[in-house]
Amino acid sequence: MNQPAIEWIRPASEEMISELVQPGRVHSRIYTDPGIFELEMDRIFGRTWLLIGHESEIPNPGDYKLRRMGKAPVIFVRGRDNTVRVLLNRCRHRGAQICEEETGNTRQFTCWFHGWSFENTGKLLGVTQPEGYGHALNDGSMDLTPTPRMDNYRGFIFASLSADGGSLKEELSLATSRIDILVDASPTGQLMLDAGAHKTSYRGNWKMVGMDGYHPNYLHSSVVAAWKRNEDSGVGSTHRDDPYSDGSLSRTRDLGYGHCQLDLLNHRLKHYERQCEFYRKFPGGDDYIAAMHRAHGDRATLLIAAGGDPHVGVFPNMQIINNHLRIINPISVDYTELLMIPVKIGGMSNELNAERLRQHESFYGPCGAGSPDDAEMFERVQVGMHAEVNPWIDLSRGIEREKVDTDGSIVGQITDEVTQRGQAKRWAQLMKGK
Amino acid sequence: MMAAVPQQSGEATLLRAWADRMEVEQFLFREAELADAHQYTDWQALWAKELVYWVPANADDVDPARQISFIYDNRARLEDRIFRLNTPFAHSQRPRPRLVRTVANIQLVDYDSSRGGTVTSRVCIGETRRDENNIWMARVKHVLVREGGKLLMKEKHVFLAKNRASIGNLTFLL
Ligand code: FES
Ligand SMILES: [Fe+2]
């Protein structure tokens, strides 16, 4: 079943994209071709809503973090007026990146090229030797540029480099109720993303970071074996009794718009009592459980069992997995940076939140037991894909048994490639300029 | 430099200080060799029962109770780490990198040979995996204890020079 190499035409035509993404398979060039990557930066990262961060990362006026939107450097900042903004990190004079420190607190951003300065709201503060311009520049026309759109869903800040497109609510679609699983893990709805971040990278395409329920028992068998020795070790407490077997109640879901989920909720619900027992091992465990029941009534059981983990991917650059929020930054066609930001939960004791950090470290980050093995595989795939005699990546697992659920999501067994197909579908749609 | 040498340094005191230094150096060199050679179980045997193996992330002065680290292992977590590395399925260590580390600038700070104490050093680790080379530099602090006549590690803190930078695969023993 060798395939002829695809005629390579730029710019990519609709026909070509259709040829690259077919039912149940995609062409490996979508992961390896620099031209495709450039087009993605424009048609995906230049257009859709992108996650910037959570407002608790910048709690005080002047706090900021540097983030990226595709190739564009941006500053995620809380101004002196206490308003959260996303500003392009680019001096309005001749374009120098205006903020260098990755995180900090500042009253103003100064560009040291020619000395222009801007307030932490983006407002132009001063121009050196202003008489050189025939007119005043501080009329708002030369302030730092905000992203054309910005919006907030329950504390998560999203922005878009395009002025048009659907609203955030509309485009998050079914993902909103999944983000709620995390926010509502707090009886007060409060999250604290103030514990730092793991910044990791791998030499592979950004799209490899997906939601894959097929791999854990195989790729992560070293971790699964560690859970067998001690089922509370690492993130074991939310992975009792093999959630990744097709016999489990776990499901894969395509939520539309490229968002996808490993829906472990019903599987975890079976272990509600044991999750409570686990929480009770820590000071404040009982208080947390009681507060959850007071705040959420009937939903509390599911929320406690879920442990704040919807295991959701929000296309194209956001994931909430186990105890962290993840931002996916494509750097080039074969290099990707991941920001893994652990989430502390308001209403949990310091001890419970510290345990969340330890759980996170056990699996994630460059020294974890899990994500370095994921990255290793992504790198092997990136190398393997250059063998193009048969260039197809197979994503057909479960294609004959998937169904449309009552909420409109497409649902499959936990090992099915429903999630990958959902992402590929959205990818193709956006890449066709639709 | 000679923090372990008391003020009234007679010849005997000096000799004892040198003997202490030799013992500590030999311990650190042995630890480095086991780590370089991926001798996980033997390396684990250098630890005291209660332990802290700490590699902070983002900065040197983070508080592990409130912030994440790359590694913040107690005994149970360290045993999980070693267990995993000893399985054939720690893929990020297959193939294993070749490691060569130099331990230098060793200083015995607040150290007493009968009980142990704090030792600081610098480490530079060269890593070659497949065709990629990495250099890992760090300040290191050991807290050593003497248990049953033997020196053991009670704490090891590794302050990586690049703990703020983006880091790929750092799953070998630091
Ligand atoms: S480029 Fe910023 S002041 Fe000139
Ligand atoms: Fe994984």
Side-chain angles (χ1 to χ4, degrees):
Chain A
M1 71 162 264
N2 286 357
Q3 300 290 327
I6 283 183
E7 263 318 301
W8 216 237
I9 320 151
R10 288 197 189 89
S13 63
E14 246 183 70
E15 295 69 42
M16 195 190 81
I17 299 294
S18 304
E19 232 183 298
L20 292 171
V21 178
Q22 300 180 4
R25 66 180 194 176
V26 296
H27 195 286
S28 51
R29 289 278 175 99
I30 75 168
Y31 299 95
T32 58
D33 188 275
I36 290 275
F37 180 82
E38 293 304 319
L39 200 64
E40 288 175 339
M41 290 304 101
D42 182 34
R43 293 197 178 164
I44 299 177
F45 285 81
R47 288 191 39 187
T48 61
W49 287 102
L50 300 175
L51 173 75
I52 303 298
H54 188 267
E55 56 189 9
S56 70
E57 291 182 80
I58 46 171
N60 303 307
D63 285 350
Y64 69 85
K65 302 270 175 196
L66 297 190
R67 292 282 143 88
R68 293 171 66 103
M69 298 177 71
K71 290 188 174 179
V74 298
I75 314 173
F76 176 39
V77 59
R78 188 180 290 268
R80 52 189 283 236
D81 54 359
N82 207 23
T83 300
V84 169
R85 292 182 177 80
V86 183
L87 303 170
L88 294 174
N89 189 1
R90 170 189 168 128
C91 179
R92 286 299 308 278
H93 178 220
R94 277 198 236 151
Q97 178 165 307
I98 201 157
C99 180
E100 286 296 312
E101 281 290 327
E102 201 141 336
T103 171
N105 180 285
T106 191
R107 294 161 68 98
Q108 66 181 69
F109 299 107
T110 303
C111 178
W112 296 105
F113 199 171
H114 312 96
W116 289 28
S117 57
F118 302 84
E119 263 186 8
N120 56 22
T121 59
K123 190 172 157 353
L124 179 69
L125 208 56
V127 171
T128 45
Q129 301 190 68
E131 59 283 1
Y133 296 93
H135 56 284
L137 299 182
N138 56 357
D139 58 354
S141 64
M142 292 301 262
D143 296 346
L144 290 179
T145 312
T147 52
R149 287 186 297 162
M150 192 194 99
D151 206 347
N152 179 335
Y153 182 74
R154 300 198 73 186
F156 292 90
I157 305 295
F158 295 80
S160 171
L161 292 170
S162 160
D164 10 83
S167 72
L168 177 65
K169 256 293 199 32
E170 178 188 335
E171 299 216 338
L172 283 177
S173 181
L174 295 175
T176 55
S177 61
R178 274 62 182 186
I179 296 173
D180 293 346
I181 302 264
L182 171 56
V183 182
D184 293 338
S186 165
T188 57
Q190 191 200 5
L191 305 178
M192 294 90 77
L193 281 74
D194 61 357
H198 282 150
K199 195 161 94 174
T200 75
S201 53
Y202 63 89
R203 290 170 301 168
N205 188 266
W206 65 276
K207 295 187 292 298
M208 303 218 203
V209 184
M211 278 286 162
D212 179 24
Y214 193 7
H215 81 291
N217 279 333
Y218 310 105
L219 175 56
H220 300 305
S221 58
S222 66
V223 178
V224 173
W227 292 337
K228 293 215 167 98
R229 292 167 73 230
N230 169 10
E231 59 175 15
D232 285 347
S233 93
V235 286
S237 77
T238 42
H239 292 86
R240 297 185 201 285
D241 194 17
D242 196 359
Y244 295 110
S245 114
D246 273 342
S248 75
L249 295 175
S250 307
R251 294 290 179 268
T252 45
R253 287 183 191 275
D254 165 4
L255 305 172
Y257 288 92
H259 312 325
C260 53
Q261 184 190 20
L262 302 186
D263 182 351
L264 309 174
L265 296 179
N266 283 325
H267 179 83
R268 285 177 176 167
L269 194 55
K270 289 197 310 184
H271 303 111
Y272 165 75
E273 287 300 338
R274 292 174 68 205
Q275 182 68 0
C276 287
E277 255 170 60
F278 178 75
Y279 283 145
R280 285 193 189 104
K281 293 203 301 194
F282 299 87
D286 263 325
D287 295 344
Y288 170 70
I289 294 164
M292 284 295 284
H293 282 281
R294 278 197 304 276
H296 296 299
D298 289 347
R299 252 178 100 224
T301 313
L302 182 73
L303 289 167
I304 291 168
D309 171 26
H311 239 90
V312 69
V314 180
F315 195 78
N317 78 328
M318 168 184 185
Q319 295 190 326
I320 300 171
I321 310 182
N322 283 316
N323 300 355
H324 75 279
L325 172 69
R326 183 179 294 188
I327 302 179
I328 302 159
N329 284 323
I331 307 295
S332 65
V333 68
D334 55 3
Y335 192 78
T336 305
E337 248 176 43
L338 301 176
L339 213 54
M340 301 176 178
I341 309 170
V343 180
K344 294 196 281 197
I345 291 181
M348 281 196 179
S349 63
N350 292 338
E351 290 84 354
L352 277 170
N353 275 316
E355 175 64 13
R356 285 178 60 83
L357 300 181
R358 301 294 88 81
Q359 289 178 327
H360 173 81
E361 290 155 358
S362 78
F363 199 87
Y364 299 98
C367 302
S371 48
D373 284 354
D374 288 318
E376 175 71 17
M377 290 310 133
F378 301 157
E379 296 191 352
R380 293 183 193 182
V381 172
Q382 194 71 28
V383 174
M385 281 188 307
H386 285 278
E388 285 191 328
V389 175
N390 183 342
W392 297 101
I393 301 283
D394 191 276
L395 302 176
S396 68
R397 188 176 169 85
I399 203 166
E400 264 135 40
R401 59 185 181 185
E402 67 182 27
K403 298 196 171 61
V404 178
D405 208 348
T406 46
D407 63 355
S409 65
I410 299 173
V411 62
Q413 301 294 99
I414 189 62
T415 66
D416 290 352
E417 284 155 347
V418 167
T419 49
Q420 289 84 349
R421 289 193 290 274
Q423 286 188 335
K425 194 168 55 187
R426 177 63 169 164
W427 183 89
Q429 188 186 35
L430 288 166
M431 290 292 276
K432 288 176 188 168
K434 291 187 172 163
Chain B
M1 167 70 184
M2 302 295 282
V5 182
Q7 288 303 326
Q8 75 296 15
S9 60
E11 202 170 311
T13 320
L14 200 59
L15 269 174
R16 202 174 322 119
W18 272 113
D20 288 355
R21 161 166 290 275
M22 285 292 285
E23 188 187 15
V24 166
E25 280 186 356
Q26 289 308 309
F27 181 88
L28 297 190
F29 295 163
R30 164 120 179 103
E31 191 221 337
E33 288 199 1
L34 293 175
D36 277 354
H38 305 278
Q39 306 269 4
Y40 308 126
T41 307
D42 292 344
W43 181 82
Q44 188 185 312
L46 298 179
W47 284 93
K49 194 152 172 285
E50 297 237 317
L51 64 89
V52 176
Y53 174 38
W54 184 37
V55 186
N58 301 301
D60 291 353
D61 59 354
V62 299
D63 172 4
R66 296 183 306 109
Q67 287 160 303
I68 49 158
S69 298
F70 292 124
I71 298 174
Y72 188 65
D73 281 354
N74 58 10
R75 171 153 288 274
R77 291 191 286 269
L78 185 92
E79 281 179 4
D80 275 354
R81 184 178 303 281
I82 300 301
F83 169 80
R84 180 184 111 80
L85 287 170
N86 272 326
T87 69
F89 312 116
H91 305 288
S92 45
Q93 289 293 304
R94 299 290 185 286
R96 282 184 176 141
R98 294 190 67 184
L99 302 169
V100 176
R101 76 186 70 192
T102 307
V103 181
N105 305 23
I106 298 168
Q107 304 201 63
L108 282 58
V109 185
D110 193 15
Y111 184 87
D112 170 335
S113 71
S114 64
R115 287 181 289 112
T118 301
V119 176
T120 62
S121 60
R122 298 287 190 275
V123 66
C124 183
I125 309 174
E127 179 200 16
T128 294
R129 185 164 184 256
R130 299 203 184 97
D131 55 0
E132 200 195 345
N133 293 304
N134 284 306
I135 300 284
W136 306 92
M137 293 169 289
R139 290 191 302 119
V140 181
K141 174 180 156 183
H142 281 84
V143 178
L144 303 179
V145 285
R146 191 169 302 280
E147 276 176 15
K150 282 204 320 199
L151 273 188
L152 293 171
M153 294 190 281
K154 187 172 174 52
E155 294 187 27
K156 181 179 184 182
H157 305 178
V158 182
F159 303 100
L160 288 168
K162 66 185 214 181
N163 61 19
R164 282 173 169 223
S166 159
I167 290 181
N169 176 358
L170 188 50
T171 44
F172 59 81
L173 298 176
L174 280 166

